[in-house]
Amino acid sequence: MTAATAGAPQPIDREQLLARLRDAAPWDAVVIGGGATGLGIALDAATRGLRVALIDAQDFSAGTSSRSTKLVHGGVRYLAQGNLKLVREALEERAILLKIAPHIVHPLEFIVPCYRVFERETMRVGLGAYDLAAGRYSIGPTRALSKAETRERLPGVKAEGLRGGVSYWDGQFDDALMCIALMQTAYAHGATPINYVRCTALRPEGASTLVTAQDVETGEPFNLRTRCVFNAAGVWVDAIRKMANPSARPVTTVSQGSHLVVDRDFQPGTAGMMIPRTRDGRVLFAIPWHGKLLIGTTDQARADAPFDPQPSPQEIDFIIETAAGYLSRPIRQADLRAVFAGLRPLFSPSAAGSTARISREHAVLTESGSLISVVGGKWTTYRRMAVDALAAATHAGILPVGRSRTANLVLTQDDMLIASADDVLKAGNGLQRFSAHCRRFTQARTEADVLARRARLEFLDAASAQRAATRLRNAAA
Ligand SMILES: Cc1cc2nc3c(=O)[nH]c(=O)nc-3n(C[C@H](O)[C@H](O)[C@H](O)COP(=O)(O)OP(=O)(O)OC[C@H]3O[C@@H](n4cnc5c(N)ncnc54)[C@H](O)[C@@H]3O)c2cc1C
């Protein structure tokens, strides 16, 4: 597979984007939602030569797409469930993302520490099958490790009762920065992606749809006439479907997943740790991320879907307790640098049952004339979901048939963003320069946009983020 080289970011002027929204000329596609799914669709559509607008009620990635475990993976547990097709598809996408976003996605070694008799042998076979499923897209060998090798690679691992481990390779990335790269690339290809513009109504009008939207900052209303609406609103997808058809049956269930962030000295070294089976039947990861250790996740069904979900005390306790079985130094509440939660949109036609059993596979629904809703899925397969969404639009005769170019399209490389939060923010007036860059090139509008989803500081160290926010406010005063 070959790919073109990455472009540098261009300045993006909100006033110009708003002027495009005011323009009465019809759109080929309006995308609702600026997370992984919506941005993937906007990029795919724009690179086919379509006239595309993307609106998000919040910042890009502020929904679920900045709150993931940051893995580009096939999903070891899907293989355990026998869902080989899903795993293979995701592993192929992993190879594509390593190629089109090498500045954001990289291979990471994971170690499973083994304590039970024959655990190492069974894990070796299972993870060997995971690597076999990758075929020519394999990114590293799976192998059994002795007790000494496991301790060497996972210096913080609990040594008591340890029998050995298994090493395998998967992908890791920065989710929010990937969203920014997708947005910048879509913009460079002629799309109009804009944050803080909320969709308030949808009305089918003959062969087209009228999307009513509102600038969240100023209240200015917009009427966007379009041939096709892509509903990529994540866990809010049903609310958008109801705008077009008030009697639409919900197809999404919501599951909350939470993470803790602690200092790296709880588990130094370059490898991530994978715990294959927690008390609630999930996989738990402890992975190095921007100089910290990220531990998660949980799976808790929720009836509501707030824009800013928070981890419950029970989830935090659960992660601390589970990690204590595998780390030599137990984590205390006082050690937590940051905690965050995200909401998984799970496709569930029956909207019933345990959320852990519902497949992460996505669904594309064509309804109410030209409304195409994309439900479920995962970060790793956002590109494939976009291809499927565009295929649904062409199949329904809404958009012209075209070929996706995204498998070979290298995403914009914004070096200022990619430099780690620490490097950027420590240096003198680096914080203000960084903030100015984020506002000019990435559509950051607020302090949280800069500190949470560009610097990632709010996700890494909440107290430092607060101090940085004060510094930014003082500098602006
Ligand atoms: C805890 C957790 C860990 C995960 N870990 C991984 C992982 O490691 N790897 C992986 O591949 N996947 C992972 N996933 C899955 C992945 O993160 C999600 O599938 C993906 O981020 C969903 O993206 P999305 O664009 O569909 O939704 P979102 O990112 O939620 O985007 C939807 C957007 O729609 C916007 N919106 C809502 N209503 C409106 C409106 N009226 N007008 C305009 N905009 C609106 C919202 O503001 C939001 O930004 C994880 C998920 C969770 C919850």
Side-chain angles (χ1 to χ4, degrees):
M1 286 190 282
T2 53
T5 47
Q10 302 170 13
I12 306 178
D13 178 1
R14 184 174 178 87
E15 269 315 309
Q16 274 180 15
L17 297 183
L18 291 170
R20 291 190 201 170
L21 295 189
R22 286 179 203 118
D23 185 344
W27 298 88
D28 291 318
V30 171
V31 183
I32 302 167
T37 310
L39 287 161
I41 293 171
L43 178 60
D44 197 308
T47 49
R48 290 176 194 223
L50 299 174
R51 186 163 183 268
V52 188
L54 177 146
I55 54 175
D56 197 298
Q58 314 178 75
D59 186 21
F60 304 110
S61 86
T64 300
S65 296
S66 59
R67 301 159 182 267
S68 80
T69 311
K70 290 100 179 67
L71 299 178
V72 176
H73 63 158
V76 172
R77 85 192 165 96
Y78 300 130
L79 194 67
Q81 290 164 2
N83 203 337
L84 191 65
K85 179 177 165 282
L86 189 62
V87 175
R88 284 188 77 96
E89 181 181 284
L91 292 177
E92 188 176 341
E93 284 304 306
R94 181 181 74 182
I96 292 174
L97 300 193
L98 281 161
K99 180 189 63 173
I100 65 169
H103 43 296
I104 301 175
V105 187
H106 58 264
L108 184 72
E109 183 186 22
F110 287 83
I111 314 278
V112 182
C114 300
Y115 294 87
R116 291 192 301 273
V117 185
F118 296 128
E119 189 183 2
R120 184 175 58 170
E121 289 67 24
T122 30
M123 287 310 307
R124 167 72 189 79
V125 171
L127 290 167
Y130 182 64
D131 191 32
L132 271 180
R136 67 193 169 107
Y137 302 118
S138 166
I139 55 173
T142 300
R143 62 189 198 92
L145 302 178
S146 67
K147 179 177 171 178
E149 285 172 313
T150 306
R151 290 188 68 185
E152 187 193 318
R153 282 193 163 63
L154 289 180
V157 76
K158 191 173 198 162
E160 195 189 329
L162 184 71
R163 290 169 179 264
V166 178
S167 152
Y168 73 101
W169 289 79
D170 229 328
Q172 184 189 29
F173 77 131
D174 188 302
D175 47 9
L177 298 193
M178 188 77 171
C179 273
I180 299 297
L182 287 168
M183 184 277 290
Q184 291 170 324
T185 315
Y187 176 77
H189 284 85
T192 301
I194 185 163
N195 52 5
Y196 296 105
V197 172
R198 175 193 291 272
C199 170
T200 53
L202 291 180
R203 201 173 67 225
E205 287 194 343
S208 56
T209 298
L210 187 71
V211 178
T212 307
Q214 190 173 39
D215 185 331
V216 172
E217 296 176 357
T218 63
E220 179 181 357
F222 303 99
N223 286 314
L224 313 174
R225 201 169 305 279
T226 179
R227 295 163 77 182
C228 185
V229 180
F230 288 104
N231 173 10
V235 287
W236 302 280
V237 84
D238 285 326
I240 303 293
R241 291 175 60 242
K242 275 183 185 298
M243 289 180 187
N245 172 13
S247 53
R249 243 178 99 236
V251 291
T252 312
T253 53
V254 178
S255 152
Q256 173 161 309
S258 293
H259 290 89
L260 314 181
V261 178
V262 294
D263 287 338
R264 266 292 280 289
D265 52 14
F266 281 94
Q267 186 59 276
T270 54
M273 179 166 77
M274 194 268 262
I275 298 164
R277 198 166 173 79
T278 60
R279 182 158 42 81
D280 69 348
R282 285 192 61 81
V283 174
L284 195 87
F285 292 94
I287 48 180
W289 188 55
H290 291 313
K292 299 277 186 218
L293 189 69
L294 174 69
I295 313 178
T297 176
T298 54
D299 191 350
Q300 197 168 71
R302 266 194 91 129
D304 59 347
F307 265 171
D308 191 18
Q310 296 299 323
S312 68
Q314 293 79 1
E315 287 178 284
I316 294 176
D317 288 347
F318 173 79
I319 298 175
I320 289 179
E321 268 171 46
T322 308
Y326 299 87
L327 294 177
S328 58
R329 184 153 67 95
I331 295 167
R332 298 157 309 149
Q333 296 272 346
D335 297 316
L336 305 182
R337 296 287 181 201
V339 296
F340 63 90
L343 304 179
R344 289 185 192 88
L346 304 182
F347 176 54
S348 160
S350 60
S354 154
T355 53
R357 281 203 302 272
I358 299 167
S359 164
R360 259 57 168 172
E361 215 160 356
H362 62 275
V364 178
L365 313 175
T366 309
E367 306 170 289
S368 306
S370 60
L371 175 65
I372 295 180
S373 299
V374 185
V375 189
K378 58 184 192 162
W379 236 120
T380 306
T381 50
Y382 80 87
R383 203 198 60 83
R384 186 71 66 108
M385 291 158 68
V387 172
D388 290 351
L390 268 291
T394 57
H395 184 72
I398 307 168
L399 292 179
V401 176
R403 272 189 54 215
S404 174
R405 292 178 47 202
T406 54
N408 289 306
L409 183 76
V410 177
L411 303 185
T412 297
Q413 177 164 341
D414 189 331
D415 291 330
M416 186 93 163
L417 280 195
I418 288 154
S420 83
D422 297 339
D423 292 344
V424 172
L425 302 177
K426 266 182 201 153
N429 63 354
L431 178 57
Q432 280 131 269
R433 267 210 320 276
F434 181 75
S435 173
H437 175 90
C438 292
R439 287 171 189 270
R440 184 150 183 255
F441 292 92
T442 75
Q443 299 200 47
R445 307 290 302 165
T446 69
E447 270 164 19
D449 295 349
V450 174
L451 296 175
R453 287 171 292 278
R454 293 356 178 236
R456 306 314 319 258
L457 198 57
E458 224 168 279
F459 285 81
L460 291 164
D461 188 334
S464 297
Q466 268 184 15
R467 287 194 294 276
T470 309
R471 272 162 57 204
L472 278 180
R473 247 169 270 144
N474 291 344

